Amino acid sequence: RIGITKADNMVELSLLENCLRDDLDATAPRRMVVMRPLRIIIDNYPPNTTEQLTVPEHPKDSSLGTHILPFSREIYIDAEDFREQAPKKYKRLVTGGEVRLRHAYIIRCHEVIKDSQGQITELHCEYDPDTLGRNPTDRKVAGVIHWVSAPPSLTSRDSPV
């Protein structure tokens, strides 16, 4: 991309980062990570149940195979993926709004729990059991967010890094 020259020159680091992203996009298996976890309880999901969802290793290359993703009543989403009140074009979870959990169901937030300082600590949602692998015909859901199931999740202190 930068060409070859005999003269000394400087190349922006962002160009190297772009080249790495392009190369990894074609080959790297995908995983979901939540960096700033916000707890969600799915009230209408059966307690003490874990569903095993089969998802592709790569969205564009089915030859890389699949892996199992556990889904349970308690999940985490990234705190950046929720707003109590948001602009009209916000495509993530809002109070009273719906969003699709990547490779899983559509959920709707109906209750926000806060601590004594007013920080959001937990959301209560409901899921639509008819939306696994299909979109509803009676409504449009604009956003898709990453999530992880709470029971088998690693915390930063569990991580080997």
Side-chain angles (χ1 to χ4, degrees), residues 9 14 22 36 67 71 82 104 115 122 124 131 152:
N9 64 6
S14 62
D22 288 347
R36 292 166 301 280
H67 66 276
F71 184 82
F82 175 76
D115 63 14
E122 183 176 294
H124 283 263
T131 57

Side-chain angles (χ1 to χ4, degrees), residues 81 89-94 97-107 135 140-146:
D81 287 336
K89 299 215 177 211
Y90 187 75
K91 296 190 186 275
R92 292 178 256 173
L93 190 58
V94 297
E98 290 184 320
V99 71
R100 176 172 291 284
L101 300 172
R102 184 168 302 282
H103 304 298
Y105 300 97
I106 292 174
I107 61 170
N135 290 320
K140 184 175 180 180
V141 179
V144 178
I145 61 174
H146 284 207

Side-chain angles (χ1 to χ4, degrees), residues 50-68:
T50 300
E51 191 172 349
Q52 304 298 321
L53 306 176
T54 302
V55 300
E57 287 285 346
H58 193 284
K60 300 175 188 169
D61 187 358
S62 61
S63 70
L64 291 175
T66 61
H67 66 276
I68 299 297

Side-chain angles (χ1 to χ4, degrees), residues 15-157:
L15 181 59
L16 173 63
E17 290 171 345
N18 263 347
C19 291
L20 287 171
R21 275 191 197 93
D22 288 347
D23 183 59
L24 290 172
D25 181 52
T27 59
R30 303 303 202 267
R31 296 294 182 268
M32 291 192 285
V33 174
V34 173
M35 300 299 289
R36 292 166 301 280
L38 177 58
R39 183 177 183 218
I40 290 184
I41 304 296
I42 303 172
D43 294 326
N44 64 334
Y45 195 81
N48 303 318
T49 301
T50 300
E51 191 172 349
Q52 304 298 321
L53 306 176
T54 302
V55 300
E57 287 285 346
H58 193 284
K60 300 175 188 169
D61 187 358
S62 61
S63 70
L64 291 175
T66 61
H67 66 276
I68 299 297
L69 189 62
F71 184 82
S72 62
R73 186 171 197 254
E74 183 181 341
I75 64 171
Y76 293 112
I77 66 168
D78 199 287
E80 293 294 315
D81 287 336
F82 175 76
R83 296 282 179 271
E84 281 188 274
Q85 298 162 357
K88 189 172 184 147
K89 299 215 177 211
Y90 187 75
K91 296 190 186 275
R92 292 178 256 173
L93 190 58
V94 297
T95 306
E98 290 184 320
V99 71
R100 176 172 291 284
L101 300 172
R102 184 168 302 282
H103 304 298
Y105 300 97
I106 292 174
I107 61 170
R108 175 183 294 274
C109 177
H110 62 84
E111 185 180 2
V112 177
I113 308 294
K114 297 181 180 182
D115 63 14
S116 59
Q117 287 83 34
Q119 297 294 322
I120 299 171
T121 59
E122 183 176 294
L123 304 176
H124 283 263
C125 298
E126 292 184 352
Y127 85 118
D128 183 344
D130 296 328
T131 57
L132 181 61
R134 66 178 87 109
N135 290 320
T137 56
D138 58 340
R139 63 197 189 274
K140 184 175 180 180
V141 179
V144 178
I145 61 174
H146 284 207
W147 58 277
V148 293
S149 186
S153 297
L154 293 176
T155 64
S156 60
R157 45 175 197 259

